[in-house]
Every structure is written in structure tokens, then in C-alpha cells.
């Protein structure tokens, strides 16, 4: 089997293995790595019902990352999906009225990004042999709207041969999220607030990756190469494909469906990573009839799906679902690549337009192809709060504000009685206890930790220990920079780590 099939969404010049693509993170022309082999190997649904999360992961990942040996994948999977998860099913499926919820937040940082970021560092370690200079350090560079940063820090802290720098928009993440990052332990980690919003920070990170002079200095002076843990990294994306199959396996074993029956998923979406993984699962044989994109008030994706025009020239809203406050959904580029039948020239042109004018319009044929699979909706902040309350009243199940966007969208679309609907739940409500308490009409004492206690007492649920313990954790990072200062900050971290 040919394994060096990864190339950019914007050109076909590269031919990289999955390991090389994971190590590089993003293509030199700014595109994202894709392979035309996606879907050539289908997952056997017949024996899914009896398999564990870990077994399904080895099977699915083996098809997506063909240059990793079975043994390497077993090793990565065993380390990533072990006792650090609060539920042995890793991503348990639970009934939610007539629908279902797939909990993706039982990992160490209580957000779905753990699914990918617990395993990405293990992948990264396995890429070392695939690289010519084995002793160089991979520095992970990430802009976060809240949850990625902590999940990446937790995954990479003290991982051999790596370092990690995380930037987050100052004042635009919750108290719990900020503390989760600023208290991170580990000798190879750095955390810095940025004066700007998430899109500014993410654009600046992309600029740092494209800065050749900086890369040369980092290589020469610090023996460091930069890589990304954002969902643009293929090693970050593919672990998320697994839980779509795991959801299906649970529907099978709970005898809700038979092999081959169709399922719908409703996915709270920001950077389009989580929902894109569902599209990958569909290409690999999972019978998904519809993937619903649920956005918050930053509803650029909803408008895109309805009109075929992607336009980021609009007001940016800082909402109560910060991890979805995004105007440029990077992974959309991969979906456009696959649904345009691999038209790299088209993708290069659209992305050029996006960077120059902030806007592009897709051809009608492509819009039709997208509409055949994807549907969209969004919730404003009042609707999010109402959804949290309604979900509690109807199901005695507490959801966080991101999941609530999905709940709103799902419960406001008509269900096909024959097709089960699965809502992906992306964060623990205890990451956002203030908003959840407000929504439920509970007290909101000054500290987020007291809010957690109020929520716990009122609903009979328990805060994840790692979150509750943040109250007494020591703050290690107080750094703040302007957008312009980000490259210099990265360089100083690399220098420090190289000492
Ligand atoms: C990151 C995140 C999302 C959005 O996921 P994407 O892959 O960026 O679409 C939704 N909810 C939560 C809690 C998140 O952390």
C-alpha cells in the first residue's frame, strides 16, 4: 500500500506519509494536509457492537494513518484512552428524551478536545523515527479559544522531545478555563494571553508558521521545529473520527439500531474539526444521513450553508460559548477539498480570496453537494440559556453552553422518527458553572468555584475533581503580549527550552 499520499488542500506537489504530515502540521502553501485515499478502506460495521473504544480506535486509526504499525497504534491508544478518563466507555452514549447524547467530556480537562489531544503527543513521539534529525524538539504552537489550550497542555506536558506554547485571547475565556491553563505544570510548557480575539491570535500563529526566517533561526539556534496542535493537524483530526463509530457501536449494542441503519449527528461547531471528523467517518462507511452544524451567534457557517457565500466581514461576538466564537473555520477547507472532488486550484483560489477580501463564494454544484450532507442552525445567547433550562427540565440532564447550541438546533428541527439523532456533548457544564447556574435560575456567587458547589447541590451532579481543585492550584503564568509580540514570545520560549 502506498503510504506517502498526504498533500495540501491547495496543491498536489507534496507526497508525505501521515507521520510526516503530523509532524509538519500545516502545508508550506498554507493548506491543510489531506489524502485521496480517505475512504478506500471501509470500516466493518458488522462486528462493531462488541468492540471496546480502544479496539475501534486501533481499527479506524489504522485506516487513516497507514504508516503507523498496528503495534504503534495499540501503544498510543492504550496510553491515551486509559484511567485518565472518568468513564470506562471513554465516550458514553446516553438517552436524552427521544434522542441521544454522546459525552465527549470525560477526559482530564473536561472538554472534547481531550479525545484528540491525549493521543496526538503519542503520535508525535512515534514520528521521531520518521524524521531525519532525531534529537530536534517539536514545539507545539497553538492559539486557543479556551479549550484546546488546556487539552494540548495536558497532553504535551513533559512529553519527550516536545515543547508547547499556548496563546489565548485575554479576557475572553472563562475563569476556570484561564486557571486551567495558567496553573499547568510541566517543564516544557508556556502560556501567554494575547491582546486581541481568537481569530487575531490564530491568524498570527499561522503567520508564525509561514515565517521562514523565524523557522530558520529556531532550527539553527534552538534545534526546534514548530508544529501545530490545532485541529488543522491531521493527527488532531483523525482521533475524532473514532467516536462516531463508537456512538454507532453503542446504538447497536443497546439494540436501538441494526447494522446499516442510518443515524444523524448534531455537532456544536467552531473550527469545523469535530463535524469534519463525522464526514470522514461517513466516507469510511458509517451510515450518517445528516450532519448538522450547530453554531452560536457567530453564525458564519450557517450563512455559508444557506447562501454558498463565506463572509467573515461581520461583527465578532464574544459569547457564553467561547470555544465556538470563530469567524474563520479552518477545517472547512478540507470539506471543500473533498466535496469539490479534490479541486486544489479551486481551493487555492477560494482561500486566497478569503485572505484578501475576507469572503468567497463557492460554485453552485459544490453548494448542492454540501447541502446533501450538511445542515445548519444556530442559537443566540438567550436561546442557549433557554436550552440549558429546557434540557434540565425535560431530561434532568445538565448541559454546557456549547452543547446547548446543539440542543437548541436539534430540538428546533423536525426529527425523522426512524433515524436516531445523536447530539455531541463537547464540554462538562462545570467548565462554565456561572452561565449554567444563571440559565437554571440558581445563585451565582462571585467565584466560579462557589458556582460549582451551587450547581452540584441543586442538580445532584458532581464537579470533575480536576476542575474543583483549581481553586487552590498555584498560578505559574502571567504573561501577556500584543499580537505583534507573538513571534518574539515563541522564540524566547524555544531559547529557554534549549538551555
Ligand atoms: C472546540 C470546541 C467546540 C468546537 O469544535 P470544533 O472542532 O472547533 O468545531 C465546541 N465545543 C467545545 C466545548 C469546544 O471546546
Amino acid at each position: 500500500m502506498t503510504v506517502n499520499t498526504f498533500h495540501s488542500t491547495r496543491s498536489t506537489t507534496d507526497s508525505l506519509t501521515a507521520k510526516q504530515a503530523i509532524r509538519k502540521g500545516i502545508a508550506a502553501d498554507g493548506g491543510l494536509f489531506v489524502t485521496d485515499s480517505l475512504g478506500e478502506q471501509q470500516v466493518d460495521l458488522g462486528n462493531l457492537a462488541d468492540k471496546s473504544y480502544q479496539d475501534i480506535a486501533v481499527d479506524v486509526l489504522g485506516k487513516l494513518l497507514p504508516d503507523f504499525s498496528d503495534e504503534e497504534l495499540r501503544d498510543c491508544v492504550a496510553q491515551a484512552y486509559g484511567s485518565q478518563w472518568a468513564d470506562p466507555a471513554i465516550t458514553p452514549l446516553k438517552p436524552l428524551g427521544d434522542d441521544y447524547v454522546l459525552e465527549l467530556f470525560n477526559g482530564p480537562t473536561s472538554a472534547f478536545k481531550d479525545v484528540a489531544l491525549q493521543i496526538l503527543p503519542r503520535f508525535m513521539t512515534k514520528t521521531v523515527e520518521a524524521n531525519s534529525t532525531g534529537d530536534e524538539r517539536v514545539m507545539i504552537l497553538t492559539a486557543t479559544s479556551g479549550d484546546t489550550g488546556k487539552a494540548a497542555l495536558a497532553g504535551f506536558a513533559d512529553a519527550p522531545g516536545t515543547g508547547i506554547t499556548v496563546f489565548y485571547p485575554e479576557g475572553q475565556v472563562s475563569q476556570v478555563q484561564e486557571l486551567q491553563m495558567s496553573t499547568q505544570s510541566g517543564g516544557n510548557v508556556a502560556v501567554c494571553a494575547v491582546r486581541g480575539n481568537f481569530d487575531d491570535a490564530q491568524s498570527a500563529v499561522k503567520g508564525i508558521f509561514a515565517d521562514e526566517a523565524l523557522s530558520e533561526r529556531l532550527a539553527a539556534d534552538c534545534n526546534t521545529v514548530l508544529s501545530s496542535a490545532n485541529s488543522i493537524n491531521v493527527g488532531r483530526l483523525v482521533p475524532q473520527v473514532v467516536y462516531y463509530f463508537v456512538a454507532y457501536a453503542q446504538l447497536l449494542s443497546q439494540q436501538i439500531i441494526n447494522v446499516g441503519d442510518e443515524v444523524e449527528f448534531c455537532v456544536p461547531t467552531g473550527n469545523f474539526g469535530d463535524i469534519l471528523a463525522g464526514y470522514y467517518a461517513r466516507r469510511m462507511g458509517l451510515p450518517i444521513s445528516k450532519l448538522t452544524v450547530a453554531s452560536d451567534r457567530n453564525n458564519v457557517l450557517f450563512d455559508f450553508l444557506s447562501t454558498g457565500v463565506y463572509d467573515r466581514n461581520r461583527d465578532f461576538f464574544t459569547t457564553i460559548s467561547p470555544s465556538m466564537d470563530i469567524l474563520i473555520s479552518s477545517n472547512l477547507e478540507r470539506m471543500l477539498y473533498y466535496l469539490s472532488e479534490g479541486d486544489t486550484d479551486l481551493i487555492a483560489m477560494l482561500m486566497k480570496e478569503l485572505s484578501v477580501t475576507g469572503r468567497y463564494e463557492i460554485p453552485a454544484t459544490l453548494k448542492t453537494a454540501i447541502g446533501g450532507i450538511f445542515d445548519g442552525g444556530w442559537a443566540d445567547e438567550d436561546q442557549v440559556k433557554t436550552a440549558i433550562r429546557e434540557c434540565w427540565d425535560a431530561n434532568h440532564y445538565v448541559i454546557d453552553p456549547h452543547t446547548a447550541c446543539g440542543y437548541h438546533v436539534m430540538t428546533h428541527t423536525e426529527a425523522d422518527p426512524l433515524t436516531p439523532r445523536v447530539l455531541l456533548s463537547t464540554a462538562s457544564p462545570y467548565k462554565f458553572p456561572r452561565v449554567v447556574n444563571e440559565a437554571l435560575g440558581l445563585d451565582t456567587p462571585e467565584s466560579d468555584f462557589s458556582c460549582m458547589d451551587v450547581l452540584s447541590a441543586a442538580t445532584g451532579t458532581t464537579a470533575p475533581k480536576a476542575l474543583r481543585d483549581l481553586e487552590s492550584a498555584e498560578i505559574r503564568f502571567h504573561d501577556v503580549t500584543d499580537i505583534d509580540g507573538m513571534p518574539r514570545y515563541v522564540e524566547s520560549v524555544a531559547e529557554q527550552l534549549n538551555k
Side-chain angles (χ1 to χ4, degrees), residues 111-113 147-148 231 240 268-275 323-324 326 400 402 426-427 432:
F112 96 96
K113 294 185 172 70
D147 291 328
T148 301
S231 53
Q240 300 177 358
T269 306
N271 226 353
F272 211 78
D274 196 0
I275 193 154
S323 297
M324 291 162 56
I326 287 174
D400 93 291
H402 301 80
T426 52
F432 308 94

Side-chain angles (χ1 to χ4, degrees), residues 300-376:
V300 62
L301 283 169
F302 173 77
D303 288 349
F304 171 67
L305 293 170
S306 341
T307 64
V309 176
Y310 195 96
D311 191 351
R312 68 150 304 182
N313 303 305
R314 57 175 69 213
D315 290 338
F316 175 85
F317 301 110
T318 300
T319 75
I320 53 178
S321 44
S323 297
M324 291 162 56
D325 290 344
I326 287 174
L327 290 184
I328 300 187
S329 293
S330 304
N331 263 305
L332 193 62
E333 185 171 343
R334 284 192 169 105
M335 186 267 268
L336 295 173
Y337 172 83
Y338 284 112
L339 283 171
S340 68
E341 312 283 337
D343 189 343
T344 51
D345 290 342
L346 174 71
I347 307 304
M349 188 187 81
L350 296 177
M351 294 305 133
K352 179 97 194 287
E353 277 177 34
L354 181 65
S355 79
V356 175
T357 67
R359 177 185 188 280
Y360 61 78
E361 177 162 10
I362 56 170
T365 45
L366 180 51
K367 178 170 183 283
T368 308
I370 294 170
I373 303 167
F374 292 93
D375 201 357

